[in-house]
Amino acid sequence: MKTYIKQISIALIVTVMFVSCNKDESNETNTEFPEGIVSYNYPLGTTNIQGQSPISINTSATEKMNTTDPVIHYNAITLSSVENTNENLKVSLSTTDKANNYIMIKGMKYELQQFHFHRHSEHNINGEYGTMELHFVNKSETGAYAVLGVVIKTGSVNSALQTLIDASPTDKGINAMTDTFYLSSIMPSDTGKYYSYSGSLTTPNLDSTPNQGPVTWIVFKNNIQMTGDQLEDYANIYEEENFRAIQPLNSRTVYENIR
């Protein structure tokens, strides 16, 4: 009888260990940035495009990962090209500033070309939009694109955003200035948490007409803020909203970095 009980106990222990091991394996989080959404070898305009942007991000359906990519090297720039495009505010970088401001994804370099604004946000998180969305457009030497998206919500005053709004021409055109501007002032405090997927540009077509891709998209989970008065200042210059309609996700995977 004792031998029988001992055999049952051993069998139970082995079963528990087996279930525990399987559970650990199933919950294992990917520590590498997904190869399938890296645009580096696919210049903008190639046919290897998985779908359009923006999308509605459903946080309950994301695939979790824990990676140190992208590594962001954003520093100070000179506001040498602050442009009113008629549609939005766009700041373009000089050749020198492009070389000194870049991101790295899986060891591959994308230089920051320009950043611009959309009103209201283009991506939404669980159906919730932001007041605006800021896009940092990065380009590799291969002609591939990666865009960092920062959702802006209504809240506290943002002096850095006010600097840009005040620098904007009131009509279509470019202001060339010598002021130094720190990109960290318009980035979220925590850039390690974000959503990522493969998509496209969101312009020039704001409807379902395809825009060029592929683009590696990184949309930060944390936002920056601006006041309602600041939004009004911006809207007084750029009267028309310039956001694209949400595009179908289709079979694409949305990744969530939980670092």
Side-chain angles (χ1 to χ4, degrees), residues 52-53 201-212 244-245 247:
Q52 294 284 298
S53 298
L201 298 179
T202 63
T203 57
N205 303 309
L206 300 183
D207 54 15
S208 58
T209 305
N211 289 319
Q212 285 189 316
R244 191 186 190 197
Q247 304 297 305

Side-chain angles (χ1 to χ4, degrees), residues 98-116:
K98 288 177 184 177
N100 293 329
N101 293 272
Y102 58 93
I103 65 173
M104 301 289 292
I105 301 177
K106 296 184 79 68
M108 294 173 282
K109 184 178 182 181
Y110 297 75
E111 292 184 352
L112 180 62
Q113 306 297 300
Q114 49 100 340
F115 58 91
H116 61 267

Side-chain angles (χ1 to χ4, degrees), residues 138-204:
N138 305 271
K139 182 182 178 182
S140 72
E141 65 179 5
T142 60
Y145 280 68
V147 179
L148 308 184
V150 180
V151 174
I152 306 173
K153 293 192 174 181
T154 304
S156 57
V157 67
N158 190 314
S159 58
L161 287 179
Q162 192 64 49
T163 295
L164 297 176
I165 296 170
D166 292 342
S168 172
T170 54
D171 297 306
K172 186 175 182 179
I174 297 175
N175 277 344
M177 306 167 65
T178 58
D179 301 54
T180 297
F181 185 82
Y182 292 91
L183 296 176
S184 59
S185 64
I186 53 173
M187 292 285 286
S189 56
D190 183 355
T191 57
K193 296 179 176 63
Y194 61 82
Y195 306 101
S196 189
Y197 72 100
S198 179
S200 69
L201 298 179
T202 63
T203 57

Side-chain angles (χ1 to χ4, degrees), residues 28-83:
E28 186 177 347
T29 302
N30 188 7
T31 58
E32 294 290 333
F33 195 89
E35 189 71 41
I37 63 172
V38 176
S39 63
Y40 191 82
N41 292 320
Y42 303 99
L44 193 71
T46 61
T47 56
N48 184 32
I49 181 168
Q50 298 182 30
Q52 294 284 298
S53 298
I55 60 169
S56 179
I57 297 171
N58 178 1
T59 59
S60 66
T62 58
E63 184 170 319
K64 306 298 186 289
M65 62 181 182
N66 187 348
T67 173
T68 56
D69 282 326
V71 180
I72 302 171
H73 297 272
Y74 284 178
N75 304 293
I77 65 169
T78 300
L79 294 178
S80 57
S81 177
V82 182
E83 183 178 2

Side-chain angles (χ1 to χ4, degrees), residues 120-125 127-131 151-153 243-246:
H120 52 66
S121 73
E122 297 201 295
H123 293 88
N124 72 57
I125 314 296
E128 181 180 350
Y129 286 93
T131 301
V151 174
I152 306 173
K153 293 192 174 181
F243 62 93
R244 191 186 190 197
I246 292 295

